[in-house]
Amino acid sequence: MSTDDPEITTVTSKGQITIPSRLRKQFGLEKGTKLMVVPTDYGLVLKKLELPSVEEFQQRVEERAETVDLSMDEINELVHEARGSDE
């Protein structure tokens, strides 16, 4: 089967679909992989989200914190406020 050959899947009563294993392997989709669903004029497009690890995210925050006049405690507080958590 060529990589351009369409495959058929079915939507379950819970709104779930199974992505065929060949395509999961081809696109590196594993359990827990986040996908963005984008509506278009032609149908739905699934886009794999490449999210940084917690360590990578923390490093990015620390690097940017050096250019902004905020302490790590203030940054953590802003993150928790944005998430709506009480941590």
Side-chain angles (χ1 to χ4, degrees), residues 11-78:
V11 178
T12 69
S13 61
K14 293 183 179 182
Q16 300 169 332
I17 62 168
T18 298
I19 299 171
S21 62
R22 176 182 68 83
L23 296 174
R24 290 195 312 268
K25 288 176 190 169
Q26 180 180 345
F27 291 96
L29 304 177
E30 300 173 346
K31 180 181 177 180
T33 299
K34 300 289 184 192
L35 300 174
M36 178 173 25
V37 181
V38 182
T40 72
D41 290 340
Y42 303 101
L44 299 176
V45 173
L46 299 177
K47 169 76 173 104
K48 181 179 176 182
L49 295 179
E50 301 288 347
L51 300 175
S53 68
V54 171
E55 293 80 18
E56 291 171 324
F57 182 76
Q58 183 69 27
Q59 182 179 357
R60 291 180 190 180
V61 168
E62 288 173 2
E63 289 169 359
R64 291 195 180 165
E66 294 171 6
T67 63
V68 177
D69 192 21
L70 290 174
S71 70
M72 280 305 293
D73 288 337
E74 291 170 316
I75 292 170
N76 285 330
E77 184 178 332
L78 290 170

